[in-house]
Amino acid sequence: MENNKSILLIGANFRAMFFVAQKLHQLGYIIDVVDFEEIPLGSSKYIRHYECVQNKNCVSALKEVVFALLNNSCYEAIIPINDLGLMLCKECYTEFSNKSKVIMPQLNVIDFAFDKYKLISFSKNYGFEDAHIQLLVHKCEFTEYETGGLKKIIKATNSKRFVDDKILSYSTFSSDKTEELKNHFNDTDYPILIQDFINGEELGFNFYARNGEIVCSYFDRNVVNNFGEQSIIRRTAVADKGIETKLINLVRAIGWNGVGMFDLIVKDGEPYILELNGRFWASIDISDKIGCGIWKEYAQDNLGVNLNDKIKTKKKATTTINFFAATKEILSSILHFKIEKKTFILIGYILKSFVSPRTYIQEKLLCDYKFYLNWICSYIKK
């Protein structure tokens, strides 16, 4: 492969972006990245240039920067890394495709990754449970709602939206108090979903599909996290065969093509779909650790590269540590003199990673030490 080949990544979220950048770098690609995040990506050995959009969360400013990059460089492909990148590529697909190849799931099914209500409603036809989900299109529909003292979850149908040239982001919120739920979102944030709080095991079903047929996949589960935020520690999991069969049938019915990741909750053996991510996910490097082969299939279909990787025997209970998030939690607890049980658990897992081949730090795997050191120093200074 010629060294002058370049690819543009839209989205600078740490782990998925670094995984893809590292893989492309190994194939001889030159990588540029664009996003709003103020992070020291310029010190990464995998990235040639990071374009940080200054007008934060402005859609038109992001588009202007991306089109400038596309006009000034000959990219072989554009890869959306996070939801923002996926949304932008969907909206500008025709224009981007005139400049470069856009690698993403097909447009006729991508709404399943954006619209949680559409996905959850569709999934009920394939054996997934109903968490008594309600769609509220306008805030006035909330007038007579009461929780009855039961804990409920409220969330936007789309985690991100483009509204009046602004990029709006929404987090999941839970409460058993009606007024807290009603006041969490503004009028302009609707439509929203409200549903029962399901106290079960959170699973991720991570896969690569070709024309609706799953080629390779694995399950993982959350071990340590904060509600509504990214996992700090995840571990491979074994799910009931019946659940896997339902997921296979759901992917086939959607006709999904490419990478995907389902979030689901399992309670008393019954699965509830939460969402579908239509791009690389944070714990994608587990795939390499257990020999799942997701990147191999992705590179073959989208980059025309046959990696011929030897598939390793899948290991049980492989655990990955999000060192960024773990460090932030530990530092925060120390700086605020609020050391909790979770602090010791995180420290214990980090220490275990130095002696156990099945427990590892994700950032250590990617070996971008200069960047990580700069990032930790900048965090401490804050």
Side-chain angles (χ1 to χ4, degrees):
M1 180 173 296
E2 298 176 7
N3 288 329
N4 64 348
K5 289 189 175 182
S6 58
I7 287 181
L8 178 63
L9 307 183
I10 304 179
N13 54 327
F14 290 128
R15 292 169 292 160
M17 185 272 297
F18 275 117
F19 175 86
V20 175
Q22 182 199 45
K23 292 296 187 182
L24 293 172
H25 184 269
Q26 290 171 350
L27 294 174
Y29 282 102
I30 297 169
I31 303 101
D32 292 343
V33 182
V34 60
D35 205 338
F36 293 97
E37 302 297 330
E38 294 182 0
I39 50 179
L41 270 184
S43 57
S44 170
K45 65 182 179 181
Y46 303 125
I47 295 160
R48 174 180 64 180
H49 174 68
Y50 174 51
E51 187 71 40
C52 181
V53 182
Q54 297 304 309
N55 194 348
K56 196 167 181 65
N57 291 329
C58 176
V59 180
S60 58
L62 176 61
K63 289 180 181 179
E64 183 179 347
V65 169
V66 172
F67 279 115
L69 289 169
L70 293 175
N71 289 331
N72 294 327
S73 299
C74 185
Y75 293 107
E76 181 175 312
I78 302 168
I79 301 177
I81 297 295
N82 56 11
D83 290 336
L84 170 61
L86 207 58
M87 288 172 62
L88 187 68
C89 286
K90 177 193 174 187
E91 182 165 309
C92 303
Y93 186 83
T94 301
E95 297 94 325
F96 286 178
S97 296
N98 290 333
K99 301 284 185 180
S100 180
K101 178 182 179 181
V102 181
I103 302 175
M104 63 180 289
Q106 60 273 45
L107 295 180
N108 64 324
V109 300
I110 196 62
D111 278 348
F112 283 103
F114 292 131
D115 188 336
K116 295 182 179 68
Y117 183 73
K118 179 177 181 178
L119 172 68
I120 294 171
S121 300
F122 189 76
S123 72
K124 289 190 290 186
N125 300 319
Y126 295 89
F128 291 90
E129 295 299 307
D130 181 5
H132 301 111
I133 188 168
Q134 292 179 252
L135 175 67
L136 304 180
V137 179
H138 303 290
K139 194 164 188 175
C140 61
E141 296 179 38
F142 227 149
T143 305
E144 298 180 359
Y145 186 86
E146 291 292 337
T147 65
L150 299 176
K151 195 171 187 180
K152 300 289 182 176
I153 286 180
I154 189 171
K155 53 190 174 184
T157 53
N158 301 56
S159 298
K160 288 187 183 293
R161 293 184 183 130
F162 292 165
V163 179
D164 297 330
D165 203 33
K166 293 293 182 184
I167 300 163
L168 303 182
S169 300
Y170 303 95
S171 58
T172 300
F173 179 72
S174 67
S175 178
D176 59 0
K177 297 178 176 59
T178 304
E179 287 307 310
E180 287 185 358
L181 294 173
K182 289 181 178 179
N183 295 331
H184 186 71
F185 288 122
N186 298 319
D187 292 12
T188 55
D189 297 330
Y190 283 70
I192 63 167
L193 303 179
I194 187 164
Q195 64 183 66
D196 292 347
F197 182 89
I198 307 298
N199 188 18
E201 181 181 29
E202 179 192 334
L203 288 179
F205 180 66
N206 316 282
F207 65 92
Y208 186 84
R210 188 176 293 123
N211 300 321
E213 298 298 327
I214 292 179
V215 179
C216 49
S217 64
Y218 68 93
F219 284 94
D220 62 4
R221 66 178 179 86
N222 174 62
V223 178
V224 179
N225 79 324
N226 297 317
F227 178 79
E229 298 180 11
Q230 62 181 344
S231 291
I232 302 174
I233 296 175
R234 294 192 73 85
R235 180 179 299 159
T236 51
V238 178
D240 183 90
K241 265 295 180 187
I243 295 175
E244 185 172 6
T245 299
K246 290 177 182 179
L247 288 162
I248 290 171
N249 291 336
L250 179 59
V251 171
R252 182 179 294 130
I254 292 173
W256 193 263
N257 195 56
V259 293
M261 184 265 194
F262 282 104
D263 269 329
L264 57 152
I265 294 286
V266 178
K267 181 180 180 181
D268 299 328
E270 299 298 334
Y272 298 77
I273 289 285
L274 301 180
E275 64 180 359
L276 167 61
N277 292 308
R279 35 69 182 174
F280 286 103
W281 48 95
S283 58
I284 175 60
D285 50 295
I286 288 181
S287 173
D288 280 5
K289 277 287 188 178
I290 63 175
C292 180
I294 286 176
W295 178 258
K296 176 184 176 183
E297 302 296 337
Y298 181 90
Q300 176 182 307
D301 286 356
N302 299 292
L303 303 173
V305 177
N306 188 354
L307 296 177
N308 290 320
D309 289 345
K310 293 182 178 179
I311 301 299
K312 305 172 186 175
T313 302
K314 291 191 177 184
K315 299 176 181 178
K316 294 181 180 179
T318 298
T319 304
T320 181
I321 304 168
N322 176 351
F323 189 64
F324 278 167
T327 302
K328 287 171 71 175
E329 284 280 339
I330 294 169
L331 287 175
S332 178
S333 66
I334 293 173
L335 294 174
H336 292 90
F337 303 100
K338 192 178 179 182
I339 299 177
E340 302 174 337
K341 180 181 178 181
K342 182 163 64 173
T343 308
F344 293 104
I345 292 174
L346 293 174
I347 293 172
Y349 271 104
I350 291 172
L351 293 175
K352 186 178 179 180
S353 71
F354 290 97
V355 296
S356 171
R358 294 185 180 179
T359 302
Y360 68 96
I361 292 172
Q362 288 179 287
E363 290 82 352
K364 185 179 178 182
L365 178 70
L366 298 176
C367 302
D368 212 344
Y369 300 116
K370 186 178 178 182
F371 166 77
Y372 301 134
L373 181 61
N374 286 339
W375 180 87
I376 291 172
C377 289
S378 65
Y379 179 76
I380 292 174
K381 288 178 182 178
K382 292 179 183 178

